[in-house]
Amino acid sequence: KPAVVYDLGGRNDKSFNESAYVGAEKFKADTGIAFQDFEIQNDSQREQALRKFAERGFSPVVAIGFSHAEAVKKVAAEFPDTHFAIIDMVVDAPNVASIVFKEHEGSYLVGVLAALASKTGKVGFVGGMDIPLIRRFACGYVGGVKATAKDDEVFQNMTGTTGAAWTDPVKGGELAKSQFDRGADVVYHAAGGTGIGVLQAAADAGKLGIGVDSNQNGLHPGKVLTSMLKRVDVATYNVFKAGQDGTFKAGVTVLGLAEGGVGWALDDNNKPLITPEMKAAVDKAEADIKAGTVQVHDYMSDSACPY
Amino acid sequence: MSGPSRELPRWVDLGLIPLINLIAAFLVTSLVFLAIGESPIESVGIMLNGAFGYGSGLGYTLFYTTNFIFTGLAFAVAFHAGLFNIGAEGQAYLGGLGVALVCLPLGFLPMVIVIPLAIIGAALFGAAWAFIPAYLQAKRGSHVVITTIMFNFIASALMIYLLVNVMSPKGSMNPETRTFDPNAHLPLIHDVFAGLGIEIARSPLNLSFLWALICAVVIWLMLWHTTLGYQLRVLGANPAAATYAGMKPPRLIIIAMLISGALSGFLALNEIMGSQNRLLLEFTAGYGFVGIAVALMGRSHPFGIVLAAILFGALYQGGADLSFDKPTVTRDMIVVIQGLVILFAGALEHMFRPQIARLFQGSRFKAREA
Amino acid sequence: MASTKAMAAPPAIALAHIDKRFGPVHANRDISLEIGKGTIHGIVGENGAGKSTLMSILFGFYQADSGEISVDGEVTRIMSPTDAIKAGIGMVHQHFMLVGKFTVLENVVLGAEGGFVLNSGLAKARRELERLEKDYGLQVDPDAVIDDLPVGLQQRVEILKALYRGADVLILDEPTGVLTPSEADHLFRILRQLKAQGKTIVLITHKLKEIMAVTDRVSVMRRGEMISTVATADTSPEQLAELMVGRRVLLRVVKSEREPGRTVLEVKNLVVKDASGTTKVNGVSFVVRAGEIVGIAGVAGNGQSELLEAITGIRPPSSGEIRLNGKPLPCDAAEARAQKLAHVPEDRHRLGIVTSFDACENVILGYHGDELYQKGIFQDRRAIRSDTEKKMQDFDVRPQDPNLRLGLFSGGNQQKIVLAREIEQDPDLLIVGQPTRGVDIGAIEFIHKRLIAMRDRGKAVLLVSVELDEIRGLADRVLVMCGGDITGECAPETPEKQIGLMMAGAAA
Amino acid sequence: MEWLDLIAQVSGSAIRFSVPLLFACLAGLYSERAGVFDIGLEGKMLVGAFTAGTIAALTGSAWLGLLAAILASVLFALIHGFASITHRGNQIVSGVAINFIAAGLTAQLGETWFKLGGQTPQLTNDARFMGYAWPFADALRGVPVLGQIYSQILSGQNILVYLAFLAVPITWWLLYRTRFGLRLRAVGENPAAVDTAGISVPSMRYAAVACCGILCGFAGAYLSIAQSAGFIEHMTAGKGFIALAALIFAKWRPVPAMWACLLFGVLDAISIRLQGVPIAGIGTVPVQLMQAVPYILTVVLLAGFIGHAVAPKAGGVPYVKEK
Ligand SMILES: Nc1ncnc2c1ncn2[C@@H]1O[C@H](COP(=O)(O)OP(=O)(O)OP(=O)(O)O)[C@@H](O)[C@H]1O
Ligand SMILES: Nc1ncnc2c1ncn2[C@@H]1O[C@H](COP(=O)(O)OP(=O)(O)OP(=O)(O)O)[C@@H](O)[C@H]1O
Ligand SMILES: [Mg+2]
Ligand SMILES: [Mg+2]
C-alpha cells in the first residue's frame, strides 16, 4: 500500500504537492490500488506521519518537499524494509529513492518562449518566497530570456516572507500588475496559489502569463503562454508503480529535460500563441540542453545566478 | 476573566463548569462528524485515544502542550499588566535565532553548559524582540497591539533573510541551518528514560516540558507572591492607582513585556533545540496566536494555562491521529474542530453558568439563613 | 402608615412589600413605602442599607424578587428604565450615568433622540434645554463635553436628562455627595422649584442637615429594612441618626485646644499645570505644622486636587518647592511615602483602591515594598493577612472579610479601608481629600474621631474637603483656595457666609 | 513625466491594496466603537470571500455573490455576538475561534463541493466585479497630473473600490449624525448610561457586530470576485490583522481609518515597486528588507506621530448589570 506525505503547503497548494496528489490519483485510477495521504500541520508531524505509515506497513512512502529530508533520513533508518521516496531533495539511504528536478532547465525553455513572445522586451517573474528553490526557477528563466534576447529586461518579485506568500492571489495579481506597469508583457510565476492571481492579472490586462508545475494553460485559454511542467505527478506515479511491481530502487534520480521530468506545455489552449518560429526556437534550445551543448546554470550549484 | 461575579464554590468554577463546556464542545463537534458521515463516538474515541491512549501519542500531546504553556504564559504575563502582546509569534521566532546562535558554535561544549546558555539565548532574543514595542508603548504610548503585529512580520522577513543568505550551509536547498551537534540537542524524554533503563515510546517530548512546568510555577509565584507581580497586576487593574501607589508604569510595562518575550522565546527550546535540532522557517506554526486563546481560557492563571495547554495539545495530536485514520477527516476539518472547541469551551464558557449558579446559590442561602 | 393613607390624592409612588436579593445579600427586605405627590421625600440609611437598590428597582434598573409598585395609584409593572421613563419616573444615579466623551446635548437626547437623523432632534432638545434653564435656573452649556465639566454641572445634566424625558417623579441618589455647599444650595433651590411645579422628588442622602432643610417626609432604612417614615417637621437629626445606626451618634466634632509644634510641611510658590497645560495652582505658599489640622476650603476645581497631587508626588509641579520635615520632597509618590507622608486621595474609586483586588491587596497598596510584608523575595501572605485583619478591626470595616473583593464593600467601608491603610502607617503628614464623601454618618463620626486622634498624637494633617462644616469642624486653620490661589486664611470659627465669600474670590 | 507615471501607477495599486483593508477596518470600527473587540475580521473576510466565490460561480452573478458573502459573514458576526454579548464570553477567544472555524470550513467545503483543491471554480468576467474605464480615460492618459489621476486612478476601478471609499463618509455620517451612531458610540463608552436611558445594550451591540459582518462581507467579496476570479483557501493572507492595526492607527475614527488603510496600501505598493531596484548609493537591498519596509515604517510613524491611542472605554468588557 503506497502513501504520500505532503509538505506544509498541503494537498491543494496549486503546486508540487497538488501534482503529487494528481499522480497518486492517477495511479489509483489505473491500478485500482488505494493510497493514503497526510497533510502535515507543523514540522513535528513530518517524522510522525512517515513513521506511522511505515509502522502500518505502507510502502513506498513518498515525502513531498525538501523539508522532509531530516525526517526521512531518520525514519528510513528505523524501517530498513520500508521503501521511501523524497521529492526535491537527496537523502542518501539504502531504502530511499531521491527524486530531484532540474527546474532550471524547464524554466530556461519558458524563458525562451517568454522572450520571443514579448513585444516590449520586458518580461516578469513572480516567486512565492525568496528561497533557493524559487531562485533556481528564476535563474533558469532569466537564462532562457537572456539567451534569446540578450538585453531584454526581467523584473523579479517575491510575494512575501510568511506561509501566506503561497496563498495570496491578490498580492500576486498586484505584483504582476506592477510589472505590467513597468512594461512587462509576459510574466512567469512560481508561487503556488499566489500564481493563480498572477495569471488572472495577466488575463485581465491582456498580457501573457506562464504557468508552473502542472499544465495551467487551461486556466485562461489563450492568455497563458505556456506552463513549465515539473512532473512530480509522474515521479510519484512511477514510485508507486515501482513499489507495486517490486522494481523500486533506491538512489538519486535527477529528472531534467532529457528524462522528461520537466518541460513546457503545448496544447489547444496555447497553440495559437506559439508561432512556428517560437516552436522551432524552443525545440532547438531543448535539443541543445539535452545534447549538453547548452548548460543551464543551476542556482543550487553555487547559490548564484550568472545571467 | 469577565462575566457574572456571583461567587461560586471554586470546584464548580474551575472544575464542573469547564467540564460541562468541554462536553458541549464535543457534542457540537459530533454534529460535524455526522455531517461528513463519520461516527461521532468512534471519531471522538480516536481523538482521545490518539491524544492520551498510547505512549507516543501522549508524548506528542505533551510536546504541543509545552509550546502552548510557553506562549500562554507569555500572553498572560503581559495581560496581567494590561498589555496585549500578540507578538509571541515573532518573539518565539527570534528566540529560535538565539538558540541557534548558541547551539551552532558551542555545540561542542558539554550539555550542562550548552543548555543553560541556550535558555539564556532564547530568553534574550525573545525579550529583545519584545523590547522595542514595549519601549514605544511605555514612552510614546504607541499601541502595543500594532507594534507587535508589525514585529511579527518584520521577524519573518529577518529570519528568511538570515536563513537563506547567512545561516544555511552553502549550496543547500533548504532555508535552514545545519543540524546541531549532539550536545546541543535537548534530551528527549524517551532517551532520558532509556538512560534509566526504562523503555517508553519515542516522541519529540523533551526536557523543555519540565522547563515549561517550572516556568508556570515561577510565573505563578512571581505574579501572586512577589512585589513585582503585585505591581504588574495593579498596573493592569488600575493604572491610576499604580501611579498613586508610587509605582513606575513605564518601567513595569517594559518589564512585563520583556518577561513575556522571554517566555515566548522558550518556544524555540522545545521546537528547535528539543525537536528539530536545527533552525528552520516558520517553526512557530501559529503557536503564538493559539497561546492567546490558551491564556484566556486558562483565565490567565498559570495552572489554568497548563490545563488549557494540555487541552490544545490533545486537540493537535488527537486531531492528527484522527485525520490519519480517517482520510475523510482532512487537516481543515481538524482546524474546524479546534475552532469549535475554542468557541464552546472558551468563548461560551458562561453559557451554562447562570443555571448552575442558580442551583448552587439556592442551596447556599438556606445555609446562610439557617 | 395609616396617616399617609388618609391623604386625599393617591400617592405618586407606592411600593408594596418590595424584596430583593443579590445572591447572598438581602438588599431589600419586604419594603413598603408611599411617596406623596408634590412632596420631597428623603431616604436615609447607612452604607449598604439598600437605598440605591430600592430606588434602582423603582427605576426598573433592577427587578424586585417580589412586591409591587403603583404609580399614581395604579399598579405598574416596571421591568426596565424604559417603563419607568414612560411612567414619568426619572433618576439621578449616585454614580453618574453619562457618556464622558459626549456633549451635554448628546447626553440629554440619548435614548430620546426623536428621529433617526440627529440634527432635528438636537435642535429641539436645544430649545427644550433653554426652556428648562429658564424654568428652573439649570444653566449649562449644551455643547460642553461632559469630561470637562465639574461634577456639579455633570449632575445638573443628569437632572436635565430626567426632566427632558418629562419625569414627574425625580429620584436623586446622594446628589450632594460630590457638591460644594454653594452647588448644593443651588440644587436645593432647584428642587424646591421643581416641587413648586408639582413634581415629586425622592432624595437619598447621608447629610441629615439637608434632610431637615428640604424634605417633607423622611424614611429611614437599616440593613435592607424600612425602619420608619416620619414627617420631617416631627423629627430631629439626632433622632434620625439614632434610627439609622441604632445607637446615639455625636453629630458634631469635639476637639481640645492644642498648640501646634514644628513645621512639617512647607510649600513655597508652588505652580502646577494640569494635563492640558493650563495653570491650576499658581504660586501658593503655606505651612502645616505638627499637631494641627489645616483645612483647605474651596469650590471644587479651584486647584485643590492638583495641589494635593503635586504634594503627594503624583503630578510634577512646574515650579516652586515642597519641604517635608525640612528636607526637600522630590516628586515621587514612593519617595513621599518613604518620608512618612500618607495620602487619602479625593477620588478613591479612581486612585485609592483596586476594586477587583481583595482587602488584603488593597491594604498594602503603596506600602507593598515594606519589609513588614516581605519574606525573602516573596510577599509574606500571613503577615499581610493578619495586618489587614487588625486594620479592619481597628476601623471596624464591615463585612470583616480580608479576602472579599473591594468592589463588594460599601463606599463607606471602602473609605475606612483606605483610611486604615494610610493612618496606621503613623505618618508625620497625612493628606486627606474628601474623607467622608458618600459615607454614612456612623462612619463619618468614626473617621472624624480618627483624624482628630492623629492630630492629637502630634501629627500634621492637611485636609481638603468641599464640606464646609467638615472643615470648620475639624480644622485648626482654614485656607481658602480660589482660582489656583490661596485667597485667604481664617479661623474655623469664621462664619460660613464669610468663608463662602472668600471661596468665591473676595479677599479676606 | 516618467515619475508622474510612476506615482500614478503606485497610487493605483495602493488603492487596490487598501480597499479590502478599508472595508475590514471600517467593519472593525463599528464593532469596536460599540465595545465589542473583534480579531475575527480575518475569519469573516475569509468566509465572505468563499461564499462570494461559490455563489458567483453557481449563479454567474457577482451581485448575488456579494449578497451571499454579506449574509455569511453576518452569520459569523452574530456567532461572535452570541458568545461575547449574550453570554459575556471573552471577545478575543471568540474572535480566535471564528478565525479557526472560518479557515477550516472554507477550505473544507470548497474541496468537498468543487473538488478543485479548495478553490472555487474560475469565474467568467461577467460573474466578477470588473473595473470599467470612464469616458475618455485613454484619451486623457497623456495629460499630466489631472489626466493621469483621472485615467489611472479614478477610472478603471471596479464598483467595490468606489463603494469602499463611499463607505467612509457614510460611516462617518451614521456614526456622528444619526441616532444609531450616537447610541452605538455611547454603548462603547458607557453601556450603563445607555441602559438607564432605556436602550437595550445587547441589541445595540448586536446591531454593531452585524454592521461589522456586512462590511467584512464586502471585503471578502472584493478579494474573491473583484480582485481575483475565485476563492483560494486562506486567500485573506493576514489582511484582517493589518486592518486591525489600521483601526488602532486611526484611533477608531472613520476618516483617519481611510488614511491609515491608504498608507498601508502605499507602503505595500512602494515596497513592491522597489524590490530588486538598485537604490542610489546603497545598491540593491535584500528583498526581505524591502518586504519589511511597510511594517518598519508603520512602527516608525506610529512612534513618531500618532502617539497615544485610547480605545473605547467599555471595549472588550462584557456589560454586566449586577456587577
Ligand atoms: N449590583 C449589586 N450586586 C450585588 N449586590 C449588590 C449590588 N448592589 C448592591 N448590592 C448589595 O445590596 C446592599 C445594598 O446596596 P445599596 O447600594 O442599596 O446600599 P446603599 O444604601 O445605596 O449604600 P450607600 O449608602 O453606600 O449608597 C449592599 O450591601 C450590597 O451588598
Ligand atoms: N458587585 C457587587 N456585589 C455586591 N455588592 C455590591 C457590588 N457593587 C456594589 N455593591 C454594594 O452596593 C452598595 C453600594 O454600592 P455603591 O457602589 O453605591 O457603593 P457606595 O456605598 O454607594 O459608595 P459611594 O456612595 O461612595 O459610591 C455597597 O454596600 C456595596 O457593597
Ligand atoms: Mg447607594
Ligand atoms: Mg453611597
Side-chain angles (χ1 to χ4, degrees):
Chain A
K1 297 172 297 171
V4 189
V5 179
Y6 304 107
D7 207 338
L8 281 167
R11 185 192 291 130
N12 304 328
D13 70 342
K14 312 271 155 299
S15 183
F16 58 123
N17 289 305
E18 193 159 349
S19 50
Y21 173 67
V22 171
E25 279 294 327
K26 182 168 185 302
F27 175 79
K28 187 163 108 196
D30 295 0
T31 63
I33 299 176
F35 69 98
Q36 198 174 339
D37 58 358
F38 185 77
E39 297 181 281
I40 60 165
Q41 265 175 310
N42 55 57
D43 295 294
S44 1
Q45 286 180 350
R46 302 180 188 280
E47 202 178 314
Q48 185 184 24
L50 291 169
R51 187 174 290 118
K52 261 210 160 70
F53 279 128
E55 277 167 352
R56 304 193 179 183
F58 284 87
S59 178
V61 180
V62 183
I64 311 298
F66 54 76
S67 309
H68 283 294
E70 291 297 318
V72 170
K73 201 179 295 170
K74 215 173 192 170
V75 179
E78 294 170 28
F79 299 86
D81 318 337
T82 308
H83 293 153
F84 294 89
I86 179 167
I87 306 285
D88 276 353
M89 189 68 187
V90 176
V91 168
D92 179 17
N95 56 334
V96 177
S98 312
I99 300 145
V100 292
F101 292 84
K102 294 187 176 171
E103 293 90 354
H104 45 293
E105 290 184 353
S107 302
Y108 183 93
L109 293 189
V110 296
V112 172
L113 287 170
L116 293 172
S118 168
K119 298 180 182 48
T120 58
K122 300 193 176 77
V123 300
F125 172 84
V126 173
M129 211 186 260
D130 180 34
I131 54 174
L133 175 63
I134 298 304
R135 287 181 181 177
R136 177 195 253 171
F137 280 88
C139 186
Y141 177 67
V142 178
V145 174
K146 298 285 185 190
T148 317
K150 206 168 26 353
D151 32 37
D152 269 13
E153 218 179 324
V154 185
F155 306 126
Q156 292 189 35
N157 281 104
M158 296 296 180
T159 306
T161 57
T162 66
W166 307 106
T167 64
D168 193 347
V170 174
K171 181 108 184 240
E174 270 319 311
L175 290 163
K177 287 201 187 80
S178 79
Q179 294 182 344
F180 299 146
D181 287 342
R182 294 153 75 181
D185 56 356
V186 183
V187 56
Y188 171 41
H189 84 86
T194 302
I196 304 297
V198 174
L199 299 181
Q200 185 65 50
D204 291 352
K207 316 279 181 179
L208 291 173
I210 299 179
V212 76
D213 291 326
S214 58
N215 182 345
Q216 298 181 312
N217 297 0
L219 284 182
H220 305 279
K223 301 287 179 52
V224 179
L225 177 60
T226 178
S227 300
M228 196 289 274
L229 301 174
K230 176 181 174 186
R231 310 308 304 270
V232 177
D233 51 346
V234 177
T236 315
Y237 186 92
N238 293 343
V239 175
F240 278 17
K241 202 100 185 68
Q244 179 199 6
D245 39 51
T247 59
F248 177 94
K249 69 173 181 30
V252 182
T253 328
V254 180
L255 299 179
L257 274 177
E259 303 76 11
V262 296
W264 64 286
L266 178 61
D267 60 17
D268 302 347
N269 294 315
N270 66 337
K271 206 175 243 88
L273 300 174
I274 308 292
T275 62
E277 307 76 65
M278 290 164 80
K279 179 104 175 53
V282 70
D283 286 341
K284 174 167 182 317
E286 188 164 356
D288 293 346
I289 295 173
K290 284 181 178 157
T293 50
V294 169
Q295 286 285 346
V296 181
H297 180 80
D298 176 3
Y299 177 85
M300 292 305 178
S301 59
D302 57 359
S303 309
C305 191
Y307 304 113
Chain B
M1 19 176 287
S2 50
S5 81
R6 312 194 150 186
E7 327 293 334
L8 282 177
R10 280 184 79 75
W11 69 272
V12 178
D13 229 346
L14 305 177
L16 183 60
I17 291 182
L19 184 70
I20 295 178
N21 292 327
L22 263 186
I23 294 171
F26 275 111
L27 288 183
V28 180
T29 314
S30 310
L31 297 182
V32 180
F33 288 128
L34 288 176
I36 57 167
E38 290 291 346
S39 141
I41 314 293
E42 188 195 0
S43 307
V44 174
I46 296 178
M47 282 185 85
L48 287 177
N49 180 58
F52 304 108
Y54 62 99
S56 82
L58 183 60
Y60 270 91
T61 300
L62 295 180
F63 171 75
Y64 295 123
T65 303
T66 312
N67 289 338
F68 293 128
I69 294 179
F70 284 134
T71 53
L73 288 175
F75 182 83
V77 170
F79 192 65
H80 274 291
L83 295 160
F84 208 85
N85 174 19
I86 54 182
E89 205 73 8
Q91 290 146 17
Y93 213 166
L94 266 283
L97 182 58
V99 170
L101 290 183
V102 169
C103 293
L104 287 172
L106 305 180
F108 63 90
L109 294 171
M111 209 174 264
V112 288
I113 303 180
V114 183
I115 293 180
L117 287 179
I119 292 182
I120 294 170
L124 274 182
F125 277 68
W129 204 246
F131 175 75
I132 304 172
Y135 180 86
L136 293 178
Q137 172 78 71
K139 300 285 188 224
R140 311 277 304 115
S142 324
H143 206 296
V144 78
V145 167
I146 314 182
T147 46
T148 47
I149 291 182
M150 296 301 145
F151 267 67
N152 287 338
F153 285 108
I154 300 173
S156 61
L158 174 66
M159 292 299 281
I160 289 206
Y161 175 76
L162 291 177
L163 283 170
V164 171
N165 303 310
V166 183
M167 300 181 78
S168 63
K170 267 264 162 287
S172 122
M173 184 94 176
N174 311 15
E176 56 190 36
T177 66
R178 69 173 168 82
T179 303
F180 304 153
D181 304 341
N183 282 359
H185 297 189
L186 215 44
L188 296 167
I189 295 294
H190 59 79
D191 293 337
V192 175
F193 274 82
L196 307 173
I198 310 166
E199 254 340 295
I200 63 167
R202 44 184 314 133
S203 73
L205 180 62
N206 57 74
L207 285 186
S208 56
F209 177 62
L210 299 183
W211 181 242
L213 295 180
I214 294 172
C215 287
V217 177
V218 170
I219 293 300
W220 172 72
L221 286 172
M222 189 277 283
L223 280 175
W224 280 281
H225 291 278
T226 70
T227 309
L228 172 63
Y230 175 78
Q231 298 189 29
L232 293 181
R233 288 185 297 116
V234 172
L235 176 67
N238 181 351
T243 328
Y244 158 81
M247 304 169 184
K248 309 274 173 293
R251 208 171 121 264
L252 291 173
I253 288 176
I254 291 177
I255 294 176
M257 283 296 284
L258 289 181
I259 298 175
S260 180
L263 285 163
S264 313
F266 290 151
L267 175 75
L269 291 176
N270 190 39
E271 282 288 332
I272 296 306
M273 194 180 186
S275 165
Q276 300 300 328
N277 303 130
R278 63 197 196 286
L279 183 59
L280 34 69
L281 281 185
E282 301 229 289
F283 66 87
T284 51
Y287 297 118
F289 283 114
V290 180
I292 300 174
V294 173
L296 294 174
M297 283 173 68
R299 305 257 170 86
S300 313
H301 188 293
F303 300 153
I305 288 172
V306 171
L307 294 182
I310 293 175
L311 171 65
F312 277 81
L315 278 174
Y316 270 53
Q317 165 53 18
D321 265 29
L322 182 59
S323 66
F324 204 95
D325 289 354
K326 294 206 170 295
T328 48
V329 183
T330 61
R331 179 171 73 171
D332 306 309
M333 288 294 307
I334 302 303
V335 176
V336 175
I337 293 168
Q338 288 164 346
L340 286 173
V341 175
I342 300 178
L343 185 64
F344 280 83
L348 288 172
E349 63 178 344
H350 300 309
M351 186 151 54
F352 306 101
R353 219 168 181 287
Q355 293 81 335
I356 298 168
R358 225 167 283 128
L359 268 175
F360 280 88
Q361 246 125 27
S363 54
R364 247 166 97 218
F365 290 145
K366 316 261 176 315
R368 285 216 168 190
E369 308 284 294
Chain C
M1 295 270 146
S3 60
T4 50
K5 284 271 183 314
M7 290 201 300
I13 301 289
L15 301 173
H17 310 293
I18 299 291
D19 205 277
K20 175 70 174 175
R21 291 172 184 277
F22 290 108
V25 182
H26 203 158
N28 289 163
R29 302 168 189 260
D30 182 33
I31 289 182
S32 298
L33 171 66
E34 291 187 348
I35 295 164
K37 224 192 219 46
T39 64
I40 299 183
H41 193 117
I43 298 182
V44 293
E46 292 180 282
N47 290 118
K51 309 180 294 293
S52 299
T53 306
L54 186 63
M55 290 304 122
S56 301
I57 290 171
L58 176 52
F59 185 61
F61 193 63
Y62 298 145
Q63 274 70 47
D65 303 337
S66 65
E68 66 182 24
I69 302 172
S70 1
V71 180
D72 295 336
E74 286 156 33
V75 175
T76 320
R77 298 188 73 252
I78 298 179
M79 301 306 293
S80 74
T82 327
D83 300 344
I85 294 167
K86 277 210 205 71
I89 300 172
M91 179 162 180
V92 174
H93 293 263
Q94 176 169 9
H95 303 293
F96 296 156
M97 296 293 182
L98 298 169
V99 181
K101 289 209 181 92
F102 283 11
T103 65
V104 171
L105 201 55
E106 288 172 322
N107 270 286
V108 169
V109 298
L110 182 63
E113 299 84 350
F116 182 74
V117 180
L118 279 183
N119 43 16
S120 62
L122 286 176
K124 183 171 150 297
R126 202 178 280 279
R127 287 193 299 280
E128 180 66 10
L129 283 187
E130 283 161 7
R131 191 181 66 73
L132 293 169
E133 253 187 57
K134 277 204 286 323
D135 296 2
Y136 307 107
L138 286 162
Q139 289 82 358
V140 48
D141 168 12
D143 300 312
V145 174
I146 295 296
D147 281 337
D148 308 341
L149 293 178
V151 275
L153 286 183
Q154 292 187 6
Q155 180 178 63
R156 207 169 285 178
V157 177
E158 282 279 29
I159 297 174
L160 283 168
K161 258 170 73 182
L163 296 177
Y164 182 73
R165 286 162 177 67
D168 297 317
V169 179
L170 186 60
I171 307 165
L172 299 107
D173 190 349
E174 292 186 33
T176 57
V178 291
L179 298 187
T180 60
S182 54
E183 285 174 319
D185 291 341
H186 190 171
L187 173 65
F188 293 135
R189 246 176 287 126
I190 293 165
L191 294 186
R192 292 205 190 80
Q193 221 147 4
L194 287 167
K195 176 183 165 191
Q197 310 260 346
K199 308 254 182 214
T200 307
I201 291 157
V202 182
L203 173 67
I204 298 179
T205 178
H206 290 298
K207 301 174 191 165
L208 301 175
K209 195 172 139 210
E210 298 169 1
I211 293 288
M212 303 315 287
V214 288
T215 63
D216 305 307
R217 303 178 64 77
V218 52
S219 304
V220 181
M221 290 184 70
R222 191 197 307 166
R223 307 252 153 74
E225 290 178 74
M226 188 57 73
I227 304 294
S228 80
T229 300
V230 295
T232 313
D234 315 345
T235 183
S236 69
E238 289 69 19
Q239 187 193 357
L240 287 175
E242 195 164 346
L243 283 169
M244 278 168 67
V245 189
R247 62 173 167 81
R248 298 202 93 280
V249 183
L250 204 42
L251 290 179
R252 48 186 179 67
V253 189
V254 280
K255 63 181 212 283
S256 55
E257 277 310 315
R258 225 174 161 295
E259 256 323 296
R262 66 191 167 79
T263 299
V264 174
L265 175 72
E266 184 175 14
V267 176
K268 277 222 199 73
N269 351 342
L270 190 69
V271 179
V272 189
K273 293 184 164 50
D274 70 2
S276 62
T278 49
T279 306
K280 284 300 195 154
V281 178
N282 43 24
V284 305
S285 310
F286 63 92
V287 299
V288 183
R289 281 165 307 191
E292 73 171 347
I293 298 180
V294 173
I296 295 186
V299 179
N302 277 269
Q304 304 98 312
S305 311
E306 288 73 14
L307 177 63
L308 290 200
E309 288 176 352
I311 298 174
T312 52
I314 296 174
R315 182 187 298 279
S318 36
S319 76
E321 86 172 313
I322 307 168
R323 299 180 148 275
L324 183 59
N325 295 324
K327 291 196 295 315
L329 187 64
C331 178
D332 175 341
E335 180 54 30
R337 281 190 178 73
Q339 298 197 19
K340 301 192 73 57
L341 177 155
H343 176 203
V344 177
E346 287 182 302
D347 181 349
R348 69 165 169 279
H349 279 283
R350 199 174 63 81
L351 287 183
I353 57 176
V354 182
T355 45
S356 57
F357 285 11
D358 65 10
C360 284
E361 294 196 306
N362 275 284
V363 161
I364 64 173
L365 184 66
Y367 303 97
H368 45 275
D370 289 12
E371 60 288 333
L372 162 65
Y373 300 134
Q374 310 298 323
K375 197 156 82 224
I377 58 169
F378 294 119
Q379 288 181 319
D380 184 344
R381 281 308 177 124
R382 204 176 280 99
I384 294 175
R385 192 189 159 88
S386 56
D387 185 51
T388 307
E389 276 162 349
K390 186 176 151 302
K391 289 185 168 127
M392 290 179 101
Q393 243 156 32
D394 295 355
F395 281 72
D396 105 294
V397 176
R398 274 171 281 155
Q400 217 178 88
D401 174 357
N403 297 106
L404 190 64
R405 264 175 41 226
L406 217 70
L408 303 189
F409 286 95
S410 78
N413 286 303
Q414 291 172 352
Q415 185 69 343
K416 283 182 184 175
I417 290 178
V418 175
L419 279 158
R421 180 180 71 209
E422 301 300 328
I423 290 180
E424 292 293 300
Q425 289 298 324
D426 190 36
D428 295 345
L429 172 66
L430 177 66
I431 295 188
V432 217
Q434 318 299 351
T436 56
R437 175 174 285 176
V439 168
D440 67 49
I441 50 167
I444 291 179
E445 179 193 28
F446 178 86
I447 291 170
H448 286 174
K449 278 213 191 97
R450 286 298 180 147
L451 292 177
I452 299 294
M454 277 286 288
R455 156 202 188 251
D456 293 346
R457 282 211 310 286
K459 306 297 180 183
V461 178
L462 179 61
L463 165 72
V464 169
S465 170
V466 291
E467 301 284 344
L468 255 188
D469 311 355
E470 185 164 72
I471 290 196
R472 296 176 67 236
L474 288 175
D476 302 298
R477 283 191 296 136
V478 180
L479 303 176
V480 182
M481 258 190 104
C482 177
D485 292 309
I486 290 188
T487 47
E489 172 171 349
C490 59
E493 296 73 22
T494 320
E496 194 165 334
K497 288 265 167 305
Q498 198 178 330
I499 300 183
L501 281 173
M502 290 161 75
M503 286 166 63
Chain D
M1 199 60 238
E2 236 315 302
W3 60 274
L4 274 179
D5 256 324
L6 181 74
I7 292 176
Q9 293 158 358
V10 168
S11 357
S13 94
I15 287 176
R16 289 189 297 271
F17 267 123
S18 54
V19 168
L21 297 182
L22 185 50
F23 276 126
C25 187
L26 292 175
L29 190 142
Y30 280 94
S31 180
E32 303 210 340
R33 261 313 184 81
V36 181
F37 282 168
D38 190 355
I39 60 171
L41 294 174
E42 181 84 1
K44 289 196 278 295
M45 273 167 102
L46 203 53
V47 170
F50 173 71
T51 345
T54 306
I55 299 303
L58 297 182
T59 64
S61 151
W63 290 103
L64 285 180
L66 175 62
L67 184 67
I70 292 173
L71 293 179
S73 123
V74 167
L75 177 70
F76 270 68
L78 292 181
I79 296 177
H80 183 51
F82 181 70
S84 55
I85 302 170
T86 304
H87 289 295
R88 299 164 182 173
N90 183 295
Q91 299 170 358
I92 305 302
V93 175
S94 164
V96 173
I98 297 285
N99 286 338
F100 268 66
I101 297 175
L105 210 54
T106 50
Q108 180 60 40
L109 292 180
E111 175 61 12
T112 28
W113 289 349
F114 303 108
K115 299 262 172 305
L116 292 171
Q119 235 182 315
T120 60
Q122 183 79 35
L123 294 177
T124 56
N125 286 350
D126 46 8
R128 293 171 62 198
F129 291 106
M130 297 298 287
Y132 55 88
W134 289 8
F136 321 118
D138 275 331
L140 295 169
R141 183 169 286 275
V143 185
V145 195
L146 288 182
Q148 284 167 321
I149 293 178
Y150 180 82
S151 61
Q152 293 181 47
I153 301 178
L154 296 181
S155 152
Q157 310 287 10
N158 65 65
I159 179 84
L160 293 186
V161 176
Y162 304 115
L163 285 181
F165 286 90
L166 197 62
V168 176
I170 293 179
T171 302
W172 179 88
W173 181 78
L174 269 177
L175 218 53
Y176 297 106
R177 287 287 178 270
T178 69
R179 176 175 66 199
F180 173 74
L182 186 74
R183 296 179 172 188
L184 185 138
R185 285 181 291 135
V187 86
E189 288 292 331
N190 181 357
V194 176
D195 195 345
T196 48
I199 306 161
S200 151
V201 173
S203 48
M204 263 329 286
R205 289 192 163 172
Y206 266 107
V209 293
C211 294
C212 171
I214 294 173
L215 284 161
C216 283
F218 274 94
Y222 176 83
L223 292 179
S224 63
I225 66 178
Q227 276 287 71
S228 329
F231 170 84
I232 296 175
E233 45 180 48
H234 311 133
M235 76 187 295
T236 47
K239 293 181 179 56
F241 291 95
I242 300 292
L244 211 56
L247 179 58
I248 302 170
F249 207 107
K251 300 184 177 173
W252 294 268
R253 291 166 303 166
V255 177
M258 176 183 73
W259 295 123
C261 293
L262 279 172
L263 174 73
F264 283 125
V266 170
L267 293 177
D268 232 345
I270 291 177
S271 79
I272 283 180
R273 201 45 181 275
L274 293 187
Q275 260 188 49
V277 178
I279 290 172
I282 309 152
T284 46
V285 296
V287 187
Q288 289 80 5
L289 179 56
M290 271 309 156
Q291 289 171 321
V293 158
Y295 310 117
I296 297 171
L297 281 183
T298 305
V299 175
V300 172
L301 290 173
L302 193 64
F305 309 104
I306 306 304
H308 218 88
V310 189
K313 255 218 196 67
V317 194
Y319 175 55
V320 188
K321 189 185 276 182
E322 305 206 349
K323 305 174 269 186

